[in-house]
Amino acid sequence: MLQLSRSARAVLISIVAFIVLVIYVPLLLVVANSFNVASLSSWPIKGLTTQWWVVAWESPFIREALLNSVIVALGATFFAGILGTMAAFALQRYEFFGRQSINLLIVLPIALPGVVTGVAFSNTYNSVLPEIGINIGYFGMIVAHATFCIVMVFNNVGARLRRMNPGLVEASMDLGANVWQTFRLVTFPQFRPAFVAGAILAFALSFDEVIVTIFTAPPGVETLPLWILKEMARPNQASVVNVVATVVILFSLIPVYVSLRMSRSDEDD
Amino acid sequence: MTSVLQVPEPPTPAEVKVAAARTSRQNRRGLLWLLTPPTAWLLVLYIGSLFFLLITAFWFINPFTSKVVPGFTLENFVSIFTVPAYFATAVRSLLIALAVTLIAIVLAVPIAIYMAKIASPPMRAFLAVTITLPLWAGYLVKLIAMRVVFTENGFLNWLLAPFGISGPGFNTSTVIITLTYLWFPFMALPVYTAVRQIPHSYFDASADLGAKSWRTIRTVVLPLIKPAIIAGSVFTFSLSLGDYLVARFVGGSTQMIGSIIASNINLNPPVAAAFSFVPIAFVLVYLWVVRKMGALERL
């Protein structure tokens, strides 16, 4: 066990306490400001009201933006789920030339800054595709999001496959199951939790993405982050934005729960 | 998210041999069938788009019609170096990204050591949730939160008022603080995982050989977690480098590379395209330097 002197221990504990405070105080400020009487964010808050929650609840723009976000995130998760699982199987079950390059290719969209990914897709959608008569519109947003979400499913499913017993597949085949039956009855049930976790993380990543969306959203279409961004530019609506932000903080507990479950089951194995 | 940041273990020679044997037994058709869709998606849509972007960077704007003209000019790339505002912005973004990475390392190592080796199990679980939660709390939510902290009538000025001082307001240091706030979990999680993997006996051995706490941390812990620090730094560096909304909302007049790209994307797409290769170049150089330091094998 790491034995620390009393002074070292005290220094460490105060650094940790400082970090936890710095992480949480700003988030709590947002929650508090969603109940602020003033429409401008401030501290201390001027007085308590729930009127902004009513405004946010009744806003058709927020609902539409939320709906768009969910559609795009579901679409991106769908493609990322299929492509990420295929890539994970290919890289875990086969040894082939260029394996490392494929790995890099999958990580690249998330490793390069979002503005690069956004500008690259925007350039293709606005300058290249119209030349060959394609107007990608709404679907372009889903394609761009799916591209950087593949890595989420790929990593989670890949980590599970690495620990799966390949003998089970061979046993299933020996017992007369065909490839599809083996996948459906033997392989998939084993990696299903990892697949679901990867899909939820992909959904969350897409739901939260701002910069790529700015460049790929067709005119007039708003996702929730785009709506927030627009409202941030006119700060007199700050309190309604704080309501939406508070709801987003609450929903972020879902992927946290999932990733914790994942790391716990990792430790159990 | 933890899993994106996991440092994958290289396959053992035995594993590779097993895999190779399996491949030779099965037909290659299965591999091709599995590999083609994801590879085609990424190569055609993503690498293809990057390639078109590179081509666009050599095109230019017709000054009379403001239309993009296909052709070949190095003018857009040259402007990165010759236009003082562009060059200063590129250097500023680089320095900001390096500062964010450095601060994230300095904060992540102590919290990782505390969580992995000192905290009681319930405390460890609590802290694991604590540093994972903001990862998903939403990029814009955190940006809004930092605005409430640093704004004129905000939290920091309220906190400092009794001491007769005020916070930095919205400027470059606020950008660095906010970017660190945003990307800190990307550093903290892999470093924490790495510290956890250090066997307890190493600490006993170090203590038996007479090393005090700080010496143990410096000579035993740090070398062992270096790959994780580097893995995390790739994220903090790259994410900070490409960001421009933080600069727009809490940076006052601070501009970053992304600000120039965003403001040119409609006015002058070739300049925006050329500028997109500045962060790519920085990230590639960063990866190259890291590789020279011999720490990329486990990334």
Side-chain angles (χ1 to χ4, degrees):
Chain A
M1 202 62 202
L2 177 59
Q3 298 295 333
L4 288 184
S5 63
R6 187 167 294 173
S7 67
R9 214 182 154 90
V11 170
L12 260 188
I13 290 179
S14 38
I15 293 176
V16 171
F18 172 76
I19 292 173
V20 172
L21 279 179
V22 168
I23 291 176
Y24 282 93
V25 168
L27 294 178
L28 293 176
L29 292 175
V30 172
V31 176
N33 264 290
S34 73
F35 297 103
N36 194 353
V37 169
S39 61
L40 257 161
S41 294
S42 62
W43 187 263
I45 59 173
K46 305 278 185 287
L48 291 173
T49 175
T50 52
Q51 61 163 316
W52 308 115
W53 284 79
V54 177
V55 173
W57 178 253
E58 288 171 349
S59 162
F61 304 108
I62 296 178
R63 276 183 210 182
E64 203 193 312
L66 183 65
L67 184 67
N68 278 329
S69 277
V70 171
I71 293 172
V72 172
L74 281 179
T77 306
F78 173 78
F79 288 111
I82 294 174
L83 298 171
T85 305
M86 291 178 110
F89 267 87
L91 266 70
Q92 285 305 324
R93 289 290 163 82
Y94 298 89
E95 188 63 34
F96 56 93
F97 179 74
R99 200 163 162 269
Q100 288 303 319
S101 312
I102 303 281
N103 205 337
L104 183 68
L105 186 65
I106 292 166
V107 180
L108 200 63
I110 205 169
L112 284 184
V115 67
V116 173
T117 307
V119 170
F121 278 112
S122 158
N123 183 57
T124 305
Y125 294 169
N126 296 320
S127 313
V128 182
L129 291 185
E131 296 290 317
I132 51 172
I134 298 174
N135 179 15
I136 195 157
Y138 202 97
F139 193 63
M141 221 176 355
I142 296 176
V143 168
H145 279 219
T147 302
F148 62 76
C149 286
I150 293 175
V151 66
M152 288 297 183
V153 179
F154 170 78
N155 273 344
N156 277 284
V157 171
R160 186 77 194 96
L161 288 180
R162 214 172 299 146
R163 292 197 308 264
M164 264 165 58
N165 180 358
L168 287 175
V169 172
E170 281 163 27
S172 165
M173 302 288 238
D174 288 348
L175 292 168
N178 64 31
V179 175
W180 176 240
Q181 282 172 322
T182 303
F183 178 81
R184 196 163 50 89
L185 299 171
V186 179
T187 315
F188 186 67
Q190 286 189 80
F191 77 82
R192 187 168 45 206
F195 177 79
V196 171
I200 290 176
L201 298 184
F203 185 93
L205 191 69
S206 161
F207 195 85
D208 189 37
E209 176 58 42
V210 195
I211 294 183
V212 173
T213 320
I214 293 175
F215 290 103
T216 54
V221 174
E222 260 178 3
T223 63
L224 200 60
L226 290 189
W227 179 86
I228 296 176
L229 196 64
K230 191 186 74 190
E231 295 299 312
M232 281 171 77
R234 28 179 205 196
N236 53 338
Q237 287 295 306
S239 292
V240 183
V241 177
N242 289 328
V243 172
V244 176
T246 302
V247 174
V248 172
I249 294 173
L250 291 177
F251 273 100
S252 69
L253 294 171
I254 298 171
V256 173
Y257 176 75
V258 170
S259 54
L260 277 182
R261 280 279 307 266
M262 283 299 292
S263 58
R264 202 159 299 154
S265 67
D266 278 354
E267 280 162 29
D268 291 344
D269 287 335
Chain B
M1 200 62 204
T2 5
S3 38
V4 172
L5 307 165
Q6 263 170 9
V7 184
E9 282 163 37
T12 63
E15 278 176 318
V16 173
K17 216 179 285 172
V18 169
R22 230 184 290 142
T23 318
S24 62
R25 248 184 295 137
Q26 293 171 347
N27 53 23
R28 309 285 297 185
R29 272 221 311 266
L31 172 64
L32 215 62
W33 191 84
L34 282 171
L35 204 55
T36 307
T39 313
W41 178 291
L42 288 165
L43 280 181
V44 174
L45 296 171
Y46 187 63
I47 302 296
S49 291
L50 285 175
F51 177 71
F52 278 120
L53 190 67
L54 183 61
I55 292 181
T56 310
F58 293 107
W59 293 359
F60 46 88
I61 287 277
N62 182 322
F64 300 106
T65 61
S66 308
K67 284 235 161 70
V68 179
V69 184
F72 184 83
T73 175
L74 289 171
E75 197 53 44
N76 303 314
F77 285 106
V78 171
S79 74
I80 297 168
F81 297 96
T82 53
V83 177
Y86 286 0
F87 188 72
T89 303
V91 173
R92 185 184 314 115
S93 302
L94 177 66
L95 293 177
I96 289 175
L98 288 174
V100 170
T101 302
L102 205 66
I103 299 172
I105 295 171
V106 168
L107 292 175
V109 172
I111 197 170
I113 291 175
Y114 180 80
M115 280 171 73
K117 296 297 170 193
I118 294 171
S120 61
M123 188 63 182
R124 177 185 303 153
F126 167 77
L127 287 173
V129 179
T130 308
I131 60 170
T132 323
L133 181 87
L135 195 58
W136 296 106
Y139 170 90
L140 288 176
V141 171
K142 279 179 272 182
L143 194 46
I144 292 169
M146 291 317 261
R147 284 227 291 189
V148 185
V149 171
F150 287 101
T151 191
E152 183 81 48
N153 297 313
F155 180 76
L156 193 63
N157 283 343
W158 170 81
L159 197 69
L160 295 177
F163 307 99
I165 43 175
S166 60
F170 293 153
N171 62 24
T172 307
S173 59
T174 319
V175 171
I176 294 174
I177 294 168
T178 305
L179 287 170
T180 311
Y181 182 61
L182 281 166
W183 313 132
F184 175 70
F186 287 85
M187 178 66 76
L189 289 173
V191 172
Y192 163 62
T193 310
V195 178
R196 275 202 80 167
Q197 284 166 355
I198 302 174
H200 292 313
S201 53
Y202 284 30
F203 297 109
D204 297 336
S206 175
D208 289 348
L209 292 169
K212 297 270 190 315
S213 1
W214 294 123
R215 193 182 163 91
T216 303
I217 289 173
R218 216 176 57 239
T219 58
V220 177
V221 178
L222 282 183
L224 286 170
I225 62 175
K226 200 172 113 188
I229 291 178
I230 286 170
S233 78
V234 171
F235 282 91
T236 55
F237 180 77
S238 163
L239 289 166
S240 305
L241 198 60
D243 195 280
Y244 69 99
L245 293 176
V246 168
R248 183 195 289 175
F249 285 103
V250 300
S253 59
T254 309
Q255 288 228 318
M256 305 257 305
I257 294 172
S259 323
I260 293 178
I261 297 173
S263 62
N264 276 301
I265 185 77
N266 292 319
L267 291 172
N268 194 338
V271 166
F275 239 86
S276 305
F277 287 91
V278 176
I280 296 183
F282 282 148
V283 170
L284 290 180
V285 170
Y286 188 81
L287 290 174
W288 181 79
V289 170
V290 161
R291 181 175 221 146
K292 278 276 161 187
M293 286 160 62
L296 202 62
E297 298 86 51
R298 304 195 56 206
L299 189 66

